Amino acid sequence: MSSRNEKPVQLPMDRTLVVKDTFKQYCEQCTIHGLKYVGDTSLPYVERYNDRLLCKKNNNKDDRLFTRTCNVCFSRVFWVLSFIIAIAGAAYFIWHLYSKFALTPIIISRSSESVSIDQFPFPAVTVCNMNNARKSVAEEIRKGNDPLRQFFLDDICDTKTTSQVPVTEGSGDWDNIYAFLLSVSQNCSEMLYHCKWHGNTTNCTDIFNPVLTDEGLCCRFNSNVQLMFIRRVWENLQISYASDNHIDWNPEYKFTDADPSNAIPWRAYGSGLNYALSLTMDVEVDEYYCSSTASVGFKMLLHSPVETPQMTDFAFTLSPGKETRVIITPHITDADKSIMKIPPKTRHCYFLSEKQLRYYTTYTQRNCVLECEANFTLKYCQCMQYYMPVSNDTRICGKLDDECASTARKIMKTKLYEEDDPRSAFNVTEAPSCKCYPGCNEINYSTEISQSMLMATFEIPEEYFKNDGPYFERNIAIVHIFFVDSSYMKYTKNELYGFAELLSNTGGLLGLFMGFSILSVVEICYYCTLRLWRRIWDYKTTRDKKNQLIVKSFAKKNGVIYPFAQ
């Protein structure tokens, strides 16, 4: 039995009022700041409005009632506006936070750990003589009766000529071009006559191998063996290595103690000149017939062991008669595996497992650009340049295709580095789509170069000297390539905002503006489900009992007996 002081429970008369009453209770008891003032209905709007009119109608000199009513109304409106502004402010900052999370999810930070020079490879070194054709061989070709070789000589020297050999006669065949380049170019044994690696004198042909580049036939040091899927070029060049230990290295590979110290790609044993790669090169000035530039000397490029060098665009020059010191600075970037869940289009980099190339075994941005240029040149001009990764049935671009190949390259550069569509500028129907993002793990090398003159009157080490003094000063170039530090810093790509950071920052903003927390979510769920359902159930049960009492009362009063009345 209920006590006398207990007030009877007054339930709403319909479900709409049940919902309103539940919302009122939530506003009074919730933990969100300011919401209890919004849900305060102790003084309804209609009563306040009538009270105010009553004061004016009776000309009441006492304005206390009017003032109290207006203050209550103003206070509630103030809290409603404040709550709306708080929600808008929180939503604004949360949207900016999410935009940063969605659009710039990657941060590149400096790692706290340094990388020893034995943990990454020594750079690949490619060197080319600027002389495109040896004079003695070129003069024999001019005197001879081989129109095909004369056509190739005009092509490689960019000579204006009226001789045109049709493609069907072999001018577009790679084997013919390859044989011609071998015959007119300076080979590695003639270019490099003294080499020191790790402080030890080494046979130059054991560590340098010929390679085809956009500067013709050049010599390369410390290149990855499995650079291309198409091995036709490398087999014809008869490449050999001083060491039989090879590591299938890529920018994601981590050297271990189990890896042999003399495995290719080679690593530096230490820093300084004593562990440098020292080269003595002969430019053979008297053999110059035509040069790729207006000067005499060498072009050199330091690059990743898994990349094909772009000598024309990025190589630096070395002059004969000078000793050059090249100081290497590696730029190492790795990536945390956690960013793999972010789409490559958003993080702007590829892991090796995400991007495969057709010709190159290892993905790098430069390899991707070269392959894309090769594919587009083949599609646009129906030929490829001789230094591109050509297949057996691919026609090689000749002198007649220079304009088309040059246009294809310009379209490539425009597409890669400009936002405007190059199709309108070059009047083409289709532009290349490369999507050559950088590698998430990559290593690049920058150089600092200093030079000094060589004087034959000084005491020159015997291994550097060749022929007589004048020949030495006119033809010989000495270069030392080395690191100056034993370890270098690296940079790491990581998530700028992970889910935990996004959640904590969002919660901080909601807590700052509204006092919102996880328990506030629980309260909302509770009042919208269990609490509301229970009150509707109580209302329905009470209504059914009340209807039964009405039926019984009516039956007793009128003497009517209902078969289902209890």
Side-chain angles (χ1 to χ4, degrees):
M1 180 179 295
S2 62
S3 63
R4 295 182 179 180
N5 296 329
E6 184 180 355
K7 295 182 180 180
V9 179
Q10 296 180 357
L11 296 175
M13 298 306 296
D14 55 31
R15 295 186 179 183
T16 303
L17 293 179
V18 170
V19 175
K20 291 182 178 180
D21 190 62
T22 304
F23 176 73
K24 176 184 175 182
Q25 288 187 1
Y26 169 73
C27 292
E28 292 175 350
Q29 301 176 12
C30 73
T31 58
I32 298 180
H33 298 169
L35 197 57
K36 64 180 180 179
Y37 301 105
V38 175
D40 186 6
T41 57
S42 58
L43 190 60
Y45 284 107
V46 176
E47 291 184 8
R48 288 196 293 269
Y49 184 73
N50 290 338
D51 287 344
R52 185 171 57 182
L53 290 181
L54 184 62
C55 292
K56 291 184 178 181
K57 182 178 181 181
N58 295 334
N59 296 322
N60 192 348
K61 302 269 175 107
D62 188 4
D63 293 337
R64 287 178 296 174
L65 179 62
F66 175 75
T67 303
R68 181 186 64 81
T69 304
C70 291
N71 286 341
V72 171
C73 180
F74 174 75
S75 298
R76 192 176 180 196
V77 171
F78 170 78
W79 281 108
V80 170
L81 292 177
S82 299
F83 189 74
I84 294 175
I85 293 173
I87 293 177
Y92 174 79
F93 287 105
I94 290 173
W95 172 253
H96 275 269
L97 181 67
Y98 179 77
S99 299
K100 182 178 287 188
F101 169 77
L103 299 178
T104 56
I106 302 299
I107 183 172
I108 302 178
S109 59
R110 187 172 180 176
S111 176
S112 59
E113 298 180 357
S114 59
V115 183
S116 175
I117 57 177
D118 61 352
Q119 298 300 313
F120 58 87
F122 196 87
V125 179
T126 303
V127 57
C128 308
N129 195 326
M130 294 183 190
N131 185 18
N132 290 337
R134 299 169 65 189
K135 184 177 181 180
S136 57
V137 179
E139 290 177 347
E140 291 181 2
I141 294 175
R142 290 297 184 198
K143 296 176 182 178
N145 298 320
D146 191 341
L148 184 60
R149 299 190 72 192
Q150 292 179 2
F151 176 85
F152 287 149
L153 184 62
D154 292 337
D155 190 5
I156 198 173
C157 291
D158 198 20
T159 305
K160 304 298 182 181
T161 179
T162 57
S163 61
Q164 296 182 0
V165 180
V167 175
T168 54
E169 296 186 14
S171 61
D173 186 76
W174 187 89
D175 291 328
N176 293 334
I177 296 175
Y178 165 75
F180 171 79
L181 289 175
L182 282 182
S183 64
V184 300
S185 300
Q186 184 186 34
N187 59 49
C188 295
S189 61
E190 295 171 343
M191 180 192 302
L192 301 154
Y193 74 88
H194 184 266
C195 299
K196 292 180 70 175
W197 170 233
H198 289 159
N200 301 317
T201 301
T202 307
N203 189 357
C204 295
T205 55
D206 290 340
I207 59 176
F208 276 88
N209 281 291
V211 59
L212 283 177
T213 70
D214 50 1
E215 283 290 324
L217 197 64
C218 304
C219 302
R220 184 164 59 187
F221 165 82
N222 206 28
S223 174
N224 197 3
V225 178
Q226 300 291 339
L227 186 61
M228 290 186 179
F229 291 114
I230 300 176
R231 298 184 55 83
R232 172 186 179 185
V233 176
W234 316 119
E235 291 173 355
N236 290 334
L237 290 176
Q238 298 179 356
I239 293 178
S240 61
Y241 293 91
S243 175
D244 295 331
N245 295 320
H246 300 279
I247 297 176
D248 189 15
W249 182 87
N250 59 64
E252 295 182 3
Y253 186 87
K254 306 297 181 183
F255 286 101
T256 64
D257 295 336
D259 294 326
S261 59
N262 63 339
I264 299 175
W266 288 299
R267 294 166 283 169
Y269 289 167
S271 59
L273 188 61
N274 291 332
Y275 295 96
L277 172 66
S278 298
L279 308 175
T280 306
M281 301 178 291
D282 187 357
V283 75
E284 294 185 348
V285 174
D286 295 335
E287 283 287 345
Y288 262 64
Y289 181 78
C290 60
S291 175
S292 59
T293 63
S295 58
V296 173
F298 302 96
K299 286 186 177 181
M300 179 176 285
L301 180 65
L302 276 60
H303 54 92
S304 172
V306 294
E307 288 182 346
T308 296
Q310 295 177 269
M311 303 300 295
T312 301
D313 292 334
F314 304 115
F316 58 89
T317 60
L318 298 173
S319 301
K322 292 184 178 181
E323 182 176 11
T324 305
R325 293 194 175 195
V326 181
I327 298 175
I328 312 169
T329 301
H331 301 278
I332 306 170
T333 304
D334 64 3
D336 192 86
K337 293 295 184 181
S338 61
I339 70 172
M340 293 190 71
K341 59 187 178 184
I342 303 173
K345 187 177 181 180
T346 304
R347 57 177 142 91
H348 297 288
C349 71
Y350 282 120
F351 286 92
L352 295 182
S353 59
E354 296 175 330
K355 183 75 170 180
Q356 301 293 327
L357 299 178
R358 179 182 177 185
Y359 301 119
Y360 295 95
T361 57
T362 303
Y363 176 86
T364 67
Q365 186 178 33
R366 289 179 180 175
N367 285 348
C368 179
V369 171
L370 286 175
E371 180 165 305
C372 189
E373 181 182 351
N375 292 331
F376 183 69
T377 303
L378 179 61
K379 187 174 184 179
Y380 188 68
C381 304
Q382 288 75 49
C383 66
M384 279 189 183
Q385 300 284 14
Y386 67 89
Y387 57 85
M388 292 179 176
V390 297
S391 56
N392 294 334
D393 56 348
T394 304
R395 185 176 72 87
I396 304 302
C397 297
K399 193 175 185 63
L400 301 179
D401 302 301
D402 284 349
E403 183 177 354
C404 180
S406 177
T407 302
R409 191 167 191 177
K410 290 179 181 179
I411 296 174
M412 279 286 307
K413 296 296 183 182
T414 304
K415 180 65 176 178
L416 288 173
Y417 303 113
E418 294 185 8
E419 296 181 357
D420 297 334
D421 193 344
R423 290 179 292 182
S424 57
F426 293 95
N427 193 24
V428 294
T429 58
E430 186 176 354
S433 179
C434 299
K435 297 180 180 179
C436 292
Y437 296 132
C440 295
N441 296 270
E442 60 183 359
I443 179 170
N444 296 302
Y445 304 90
S446 61
T447 58
E448 182 180 347
I449 303 172
S450 61
Q451 291 184 328
S452 59
M453 297 292 296
L454 290 175
M455 298 293 294
T457 57
F458 294 163
E459 184 176 351
I460 305 297
E462 183 178 354
E463 61 268 19
Y464 296 159
F465 197 81
K466 188 176 183 180
N467 293 346
D468 53 15
Y471 185 91
F472 176 81
E473 291 180 356
R474 292 179 62 244
N475 293 273
I476 303 304
I478 301 174
V479 58
H480 308 283
I481 306 169
F482 56 94
F483 295 104
V484 295
D485 295 317
S486 58
S487 62
Y488 291 88
M489 300 302 298
K490 70 175 180 178
Y491 293 87
T492 302
K493 296 178 181 178
N494 213 327
E495 287 183 302
L496 177 61
Y497 286 107
F499 178 76
E501 289 79 8
L502 179 65
L503 182 63
S504 61
N505 290 335
T506 302
L509 290 172
L510 290 175
L512 176 65
F513 282 91
M514 303 167 56
F516 196 87
S517 66
I518 295 296
L519 292 180
S520 301
V521 179
V522 176
E523 284 181 343
I524 294 174
C525 296
Y526 169 71
Y527 276 92
C528 290
T529 55
L530 296 177
R531 184 74 173 178
L532 182 61
W533 175 82
R534 181 63 184 175
R535 290 182 63 81
I536 293 175
W537 177 262
D538 291 344
Y539 160 74
K540 181 179 178 182
T541 304
T542 305
R543 184 189 62 183
D544 292 341
K545 290 181 179 179
K546 187 175 182 180
N547 289 337
Q548 291 178 4
L549 292 175
I550 293 175
V551 171
K552 289 181 179 180
S553 176
F554 180 81
K556 183 177 180 181
K557 182 178 180 180
N558 295 279
V560 180
I561 300 175
Y562 290 90
F564 300 103
Q566 297 180 357

